Amino acid sequence: MVVAGCPWCHVATTEDPRVEGESGLWSGDELDLDAYLARIGWQAGRGGELAPDLATLRGLHRAHVRAVPFENLDVALGKPVPLDLKSLQDKLVGRRRGGYCYEQNSLFAAVLERIGFTVAARGARNRSRGATLPPVTHALLVVTVDGEQWLCDVGFGWQGPLEPVPLRDGVRVDQSGWTFGIKAEGEGILVLRSLRPQGWTDLYAFAPQTLYPGDFTVMNHYSSSHPHSRFLGQVVAQRPGEEARRALVRETLSVVRPDGTAEERVVGTGVLIATLQSEFGIELDEEERAGLERMHPTGV
């Protein structure tokens, strides 16, 4: 199968691997794949053709998280967060902005669907904030390759994986010095974990139930507008990295390295826009810059 209009893609099969009845679920046929590949810096020489195989999945996942930052700036500014593919392409690809989980994983699902992967969505409960019991608001993907399921998540921010993680109980994978694992619990729950100097830390837990774009819309409405949402009223920008992971939450910029060393500094209003650009690669227009400066909590 050759992906129409994409010079990178050749799939050596005549069968469509997508689940019957779900063809085009993520609007992959509407995707400008060439523009997306340019956005993430995909190089033709990295192995040749795109195909629904593990090498392609790993390469795309790592390239995406390296290029597209996690950020909530539209929510912070009180703007709507549409999840249709045209809007996602315009924002994350055309305007070189970032987004949070619903935006990033919806776009990534469209990319994978276009190439021919079997993609399903899941909803997760965030456990990275300690003993609190938050609602299920995180969105991730499960991709099946050669009969094996892989957790794919380009939208969990600075704590997320760089590459897919195999969904097997007890698995442990090293990704450029960052270690992730999967733990199975009762009722079919799977937990993504991260190994820190102090031991394993749960990141989030998810059930095997398949979610659909409409479910993302409902979850997105809560996260972008509910008064209890942690994304309202503050700037959040994050980026996982190989040598360091960075997070700006309100006025605090944190940098963590694989060996556990960390540093923090205050980002004042005067350097906020420059920090978003230099640390996260976020490009903003004049109205967005002014709006964020007005709401930033420190005048340092």
Side-chain angles (χ1 to χ4, degrees), residues 31-40 64 67-68 85-99 103 107-108 111 283:
L31 178 75
D32 185 342
L33 187 56
D34 288 344
Y36 171 81
L37 294 174
R39 170 71 170 99
I40 67 171
H64 183 114
V68 185
L85 185 61
K86 184 178 183 300
S87 297
L88 294 176
Q89 287 192 120
D90 176 65
K91 179 182 178 183
L92 278 68
V93 178
R95 292 191 285 133
R96 303 186 68 83
R97 283 279 304 279
E103 298 171 284
L107 177 62
F108 198 56
V111 172
E283 301 180 7

Side-chain angles (χ1 to χ4, degrees), residues 120-123 188 206-212 215:
R122 300 284 188 269
F206 57 99
Q209 180 185 5
T210 298
L211 299 189
Y212 299 94
D215 299 310

Side-chain angles (χ1 to χ4, degrees), residues 54-185:
L54 188 54
T56 296
L57 185 64
R58 282 175 167 156
L60 288 173
H61 196 291
R62 187 176 281 260
H64 183 114
V65 299
R66 183 187 296 123
V68 185
F70 179 100
E71 50 109 325
N72 78 324
L73 303 184
D74 282 353
V75 176
L77 291 169
K79 295 183 176 183
V81 183
L83 298 182
D84 63 283
L85 185 61
K86 184 178 183 300
S87 297
L88 294 176
Q89 287 192 120
D90 176 65
K91 179 182 178 183
L92 278 68
V93 178
R95 292 191 285 133
R96 303 186 68 83
R97 283 279 304 279
Y100 60 1
C101 63
Y102 317 113
E103 298 171 284
Q104 298 226 33
N105 283 323
S106 291
L107 177 62
F108 198 56
V111 172
L112 298 180
E113 181 182 78
R114 173 68 177 274
I115 296 170
F117 286 95
T118 300
V119 185
R122 300 284 188 269
R125 196 183 307 276
N126 194 324
R127 290 186 176 179
S128 67
R129 301 169 188 146
T132 61
L133 187 64
V136 175
T137 56
H138 179 57
L140 63 133
L141 304 174
V142 172
V143 180
T144 302
V145 180
D146 295 330
E148 182 171 14
Q149 291 187 324
W150 295 78
L151 182 155
C152 292
D153 191 352
V154 296
F156 193 60
W158 72 326
Q159 299 187 76
L162 299 173
E163 294 184 358
V165 178
L167 283 180
R168 300 194 304 269
D169 183 27
V171 76
R172 170 175 170 158
V173 294
D174 177 82
Q175 299 178 355
S176 300
W178 305 93
T179 303
F180 297 91
I182 297 292
K183 179 181 68 175
E185 296 183 344

Side-chain angles (χ1 to χ4, degrees), residues 187-257:
E187 300 182 318
I189 300 294
L190 293 175
V191 183
L192 177 66
R193 313 173 80 196
S194 176
L195 184 60
R196 311 285 174 78
Q198 66 272 25
W200 285 103
T201 297
D202 290 357
L203 297 180
Y204 55 72
F206 57 99
Q209 180 185 5
T210 298
L211 299 189
Y212 299 94
D215 299 310
F216 279 23
T217 298
V218 174
M219 297 159 73
N220 180 45
H221 178 67
Y222 174 91
S223 294
S224 64
S225 63
H226 195 279
H228 290 167
S229 171
R230 296 172 64 90
F231 290 116
L232 267 64
Q234 62 179 357
V235 169
V236 178
Q238 302 180 356
R239 171 168 274 172
E242 297 170 356
E243 298 180 357
R245 292 170 176 255
R246 292 172 169 79
L248 175 64
V249 180
R250 294 178 66 85
E251 71 272 28
T252 303
L253 176 66
S254 303
V255 180
V256 178
R257 297 176 180 84

